[in-house]
Amino acid sequence: LQQRRGIRLSAPAAVQVTVRDALNQALDEELERDERVFLLGEEVAQYDGAYKISRGLWKKYGDKRVIDTPISEMGFTGIAVGAAMVWLRPVCEFMTFNFSMQAIDQVINSAAKTCYMSAGAIAVPIVFRGPNGASAGVAAQHSQCFAAWYGHCPGLKVVSPWSSEDAKGLLKASIRDDNPVVMLENELLYGVPFEMSEQAQSKDFVVPIGKAKIERQGTHVTLVSHSRPVGHCLEAAAVLAKEGVECEVINLRTIRPMDIETVEASVVKTNHLVTVEGGWPQFGVGAEICARIMEGSAFNYLDAPAVRVTGADVPMPYAKILEDNCIPQVKDIIFAVKKTLNI
């Protein structure tokens, strides 16, 4: 009515939301939306989650929808996969994806392959989620990035959010998807606030799986990353902009299926490519991106070899100074950009 009378209404401002709260919102909204959705994992219920992602959900939805499990990844993952085969929609939380190795038979042999092996007759709508990659001071058995491992396997979709909008939209899209989805979060991002638009605050908001996002436009070099290193790329781009180098930063968001078209279009524009990831270099996400570019038409537009910035090819040390040298830092990205631009 006020709009009809010519009164100008201001749009609701974007709000600051942490990644933790964005994930909590997504779980709450999807549990409310579909009674087939349930959450299970270690300490997800009465303790509100090891990282407080499921805070308040057990009190709201009860024991049948938010389920504490024993410390037995193979057991509760098998239960979740079986539930998905009869069209429930489980969200299976790993306290760290390093512990998903205890259940990888269930994730790959049971969940990922079933749709193909049944000629499409059996869908497995399940989400495997939890923190992935290096945290801080947790050493080798808690610090590996599994993006390349799970991205290697047909039958899985693999998503890796950076911002709060990524986290909320990708989790909601993953829960609604009829395929098994691996959602690789990052513990160090849980408490980080990001601006969340009015659109992202809607219960209908989803981020399409398989679509990358250009976080910063640029003309001199393409930076492609996922998860926490996206923030490092943006920091590096801000530093390089003061030196006259404009970086185009692509937030991959989905590892499988990979949005190589967005990367190709950027490479055609910038003629240079640097990939950044926290995982090990051999057979990594960056290696896959470089191979796809080499095999496609965008290769003809490269003015220099593509450069990868990765984690060090060692199990993660405990000591902080060694840990810092094993994880890509802003200075490493700046060095790589200058190397590929020959400046």
Side-chain angles (χ1 to χ4, degrees):
L1 184 61
Q2 288 176 315
Q3 285 177 321
R4 288 195 196 126
R5 291 172 177 167
I7 300 174
R8 190 172 181 178
L9 299 177
S10 60
V15 296
Q16 293 282 320
V17 178
T18 64
V19 171
R20 174 183 290 108
D21 288 341
L23 291 167
N24 182 266
Q25 286 177 24
L27 287 169
D28 189 10
E29 291 169 7
E30 293 306 301
L31 283 162
E32 182 180 65
R33 176 179 175 271
D34 189 340
E35 64 181 10
R36 295 173 299 170
V37 176
F38 68 98
L39 172 67
L40 79 167
E42 296 155 358
E43 301 181 351
V44 299
Q46 296 186 42
Y47 188 66
D48 280 341
Y51 302 99
K52 307 306 176 193
I53 303 300
S54 52
R55 184 180 59 247
L57 299 181
W58 173 68
K59 289 181 180 177
K60 183 174 182 179
Y61 295 100
D63 290 325
K64 290 187 178 180
R65 305 289 301 283
V66 184
I67 304 167
D68 276 332
T69 67
I71 303 173
S72 177
E73 281 79 10
M74 180 177 285
F76 68 73
T77 305
I79 289 169
V81 172
M85 289 179 176
V86 292
W87 278 99
L88 295 178
R89 292 187 174 271
V91 179
C92 179
E93 178 179 307
F94 295 119
M95 200 174 286
T96 162
F97 258 95
N98 293 263
F99 300 160
S100 75
M101 295 297 96
Q102 299 291 327
I104 200 165
D105 177 63
Q106 304 286 9
V107 177
I108 305 301
N109 284 328
S110 297
K113 297 178 182 178
T114 295
C115 185
Y116 283 74
M117 293 170 68
S118 66
I122 303 174
V124 188
I126 185 171
V127 179
F128 305 102
R129 54 156 296 273
N132 169 75
S135 179
V138 291
Q141 291 176 323
H142 301 76
S143 295
Q144 185 176 336
C145 175
F146 289 96
W149 282 46
Y150 286 119
H152 181 66
C153 302
L156 290 178
K157 293 184 178 181
V158 182
V159 299
S160 182
W162 169 60
S163 67
S164 298
E165 286 197 7
D166 290 349
K168 181 179 180 180
L170 286 171
L171 181 53
K172 289 170 72 72
S174 299
I175 292 171
R176 298 181 189 189
D177 201 289
D178 288 340
N179 297 278
V181 182
V182 172
M183 182 159 175
L184 304 171
E185 301 156 13
N186 186 283
E187 180 185 342
L188 295 178
L189 287 174
Y190 284 153
V192 178
F194 290 88
E195 191 174 273
M196 187 174 279
S197 66
E198 179 191 1
Q199 179 190 12
Q201 296 170 48
S202 164
K203 291 185 178 182
D204 298 320
F205 175 74
V206 294
V207 169
I209 294 174
K211 185 62 180 172
K213 180 183 180 183
I214 298 175
E215 298 287 351
R216 179 186 177 117
Q217 297 282 347
T219 54
H220 295 129
V221 61
T222 298
L223 298 178
V224 186
S225 190
H226 66 95
S227 191
R228 186 166 174 257
V230 173
H232 295 341
C233 288
L234 289 170
E235 289 181 46
V239 172
L240 287 161
K242 296 175 182 177
E243 301 179 31
V245 176
E246 293 297 332
C247 302
E248 181 144 296
V249 178
I250 297 178
N251 175 9
L252 209 52
R253 297 199 296 194
T254 303
I255 308 302
R256 184 183 185 107
M258 185 178 286
D259 182 6
I260 202 64
E261 292 80 12
T262 295
V263 179
E264 285 179 328
S266 180
V267 169
V268 167
K269 179 170 68 171
T270 68
N271 311 117
H272 299 91
L273 173 64
V274 174
T275 67
V276 185
E277 63 189 304
W280 292 323
Q282 191 153 315
F283 313 114
V285 175
E288 175 66 16
I289 294 169
C290 291
R292 296 276 196 98
I293 293 298
M294 185 186 72
E295 293 167 350
S297 59
F299 176 74
N300 298 313
Y301 290 83
L302 281 175
D303 288 342
V307 174
R308 292 179 294 159
V309 180
T310 71
D313 197 22
V314 296
M316 184 64 69
Y318 173 74
K320 187 178 189 308
I321 190 168
L322 296 176
E323 181 183 69
D324 289 344
N325 280 281
C326 285
I327 301 170
Q329 306 292 338
V330 173
K331 63 181 177 59
D332 302 317
I333 300 169
I334 293 171
F335 178 83
V337 168
K338 290 185 175 181
K339 177 183 176 182
T340 194
L341 292 175
N342 196 29
I343 58 176

